[in-house]
């Protein structure tokens, strides 16, 4: 049997395929369902200092080739995700908490507090929420990102990675990679949704979601070529000890294979998890194993980064 297991920061993932933050991972029930599935890890919804209701509904809509959302970080507050850690340990897979504080100081506080919770394995600091009214994404401000990392790494005792927004310009990739390479980061997750897209219902001549006049983050197939490019570019530019986790439009085992070729060590499933439910993990894993078997590969490491150019 082909092994899809991987190790990041000395933490073993039984499978390299797990949920993206935001997809069915806010309540304890949802996190338990991910624990009971074939997902290779349990990653929480991005948390803030205090619980949040999020934006008014409708705030998620599926689209012909993906999804649009402007959730506004509905979550239970970081203390709950700390509390859940003990009961999620029984699933024998990593528990990762996504952190998306509303301010610089909130991020520092949440990382400091969560990093002392034994049963949390890793932290994913989200620099890329596109749905907060009046807030720029930290990930698009390279100086601010560096200042935040300096502070966060001074208080963090756990393996930490970052979730990035998509970049589209080679100079921006280089500027961000230059910042990331200065810190003891364990992983980089590429990419968050394509920020502030717009989807329209022609019949009613109306936007699809209520917040922000209809603007929202675009996920699914629309995001895949951009996400693959971000994984590939950061694989070229980052120190080899920083693992890359790919996310964007993965629906099949073949999609996962593409991300591995680009240099991803693991992948996350967002839109299709919301659409299909947790049974998607078993299907995608099986599809990947069959493809690898057919091609004669027996581990993720054998495929990782092997993309050929012309
Ligand atoms: C939300 C959306 C994101 O893309 C993200 O990274 C964090 C939060 C949201 O709207 O809830």
């Amino acid at each position: 049997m082909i092994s899809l297991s991987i190790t990041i920061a000395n933490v073993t993932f039984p499978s390299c395929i797990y949920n993206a933050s935001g997809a069915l991972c806010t309540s304890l029930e949802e996190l338990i369902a991910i624990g009971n599935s074939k997902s290779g890890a349990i990653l929480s919804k991005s948390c803030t200092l205090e619980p949040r209701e999020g934006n008014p509904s409708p705030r998620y809509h599926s689209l012909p080739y993906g999804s649009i959302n402007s959730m506004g970080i509905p979550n239970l507050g970081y203390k709950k995700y700390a509390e859940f850690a003990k009961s999620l340990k029984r699933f024998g897979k990593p528990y990762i908490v996504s952190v998306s504080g509303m301010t610089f100081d909130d991020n520092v506080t949440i990382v400091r507090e969560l990093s002392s919770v034994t049963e949390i394995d890793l932290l994913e600091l989200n620099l890329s929420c596109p749905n907060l009214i009046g807030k720029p994404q930290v990930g698009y401000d390279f100086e601010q990102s560096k200042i935040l990392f300096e502070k966060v790494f001074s208080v963090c005792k756990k393996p930490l990675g970052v979730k990035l927004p998509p970049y589209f310009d080679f100079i921006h990739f280089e500027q961000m990679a230059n910042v990331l390479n200065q810190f003891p980061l364990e992983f980089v997750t590429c990419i968050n949704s394509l920020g502030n897209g717009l989807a329209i219902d022609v019949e009613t001549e109306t936007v699809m979601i209520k917040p922000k006049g209809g603007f929202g983050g675009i996920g699914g197939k629309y995001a895949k070529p951009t996400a693959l490019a971000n994984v590939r570019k950061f694989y070229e530019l980052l120190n080899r000890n920083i693992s890359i986790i790919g996310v964007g439009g993965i629906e099949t085992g073949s999609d996962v294979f593409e991300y591995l070729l680009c240099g991803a060590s693991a992948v996350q499933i967002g839109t299709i998890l919301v659409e299909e439910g947790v049974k998607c993990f078993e299907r995608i894993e099986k599809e990947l194993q069959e493809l690898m078997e057919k091609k004669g590969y027996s581990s993720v490491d054998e495929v990782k980064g092997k993309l050929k150019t012309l």
Side-chain angles (χ1 to χ4, degrees), residues 208-228:
M208 295 288 201
I209 56 172
K210 185 176 170 92
K212 300 201 319 182
F215 288 81
I218 305 293
K221 271 197 167 69
Y222 304 106
K224 200 180 91 170
T226 300
L228 288 171

Side-chain angles (χ1 to χ4, degrees), residues 268-305:
Q268 300 174 349
I269 313 295
T271 298
I272 217 67
L273 168 56
V274 174
E275 300 294 327
E276 185 177 334
V278 296
K279 65 182 194 300
C280 72
F281 294 112
E282 188 167 6
R283 175 184 60 75
I284 297 169
E285 186 173 306
K286 197 161 150 271
E287 289 169 357
L288 176 61
Q289 283 171 325
E290 283 171 8
L291 180 62
M292 285 171 64
E293 190 152 26
K294 200 173 83 188
K295 285 174 167 284
Y297 291 109
S298 54
S299 74
V300 168
D301 263 353
E302 284 174 21
V303 183
K304 191 161 91 185

Side-chain angles (χ1 to χ4, degrees), residues 45-46 69-74 100 126 128-131 192-193:
K45 170 70 181 169
S46 286
N69 87 84
S70 182
M71 307 299 287
I73 328 193
S100 194
N126 180 8
S128 53
C129 175
N131 299 331
N192 209 318
S193 50

Side-chain angles (χ1 to χ4, degrees), residues 139-151:
Y140 285 146
D141 184 334
F142 307 118
E143 256 171 62
Q144 201 50 37
S145 294
K146 183 174 177 193
I147 295 168
L148 180 60
F149 291 145
E150 275 164 357
K151 190 72 193 176

Side-chain angles (χ1 to χ4, degrees), residues 149 162 164 176-183 185 234 238 242:
F149 291 145
V162 287
L164 296 177
M176 195 57 179
N178 176 44
V179 171
L180 298 168
N181 278 333
Q182 295 173 42
F183 295 94
L185 274 173
F234 280 115
L238 292 179
I242 304 178

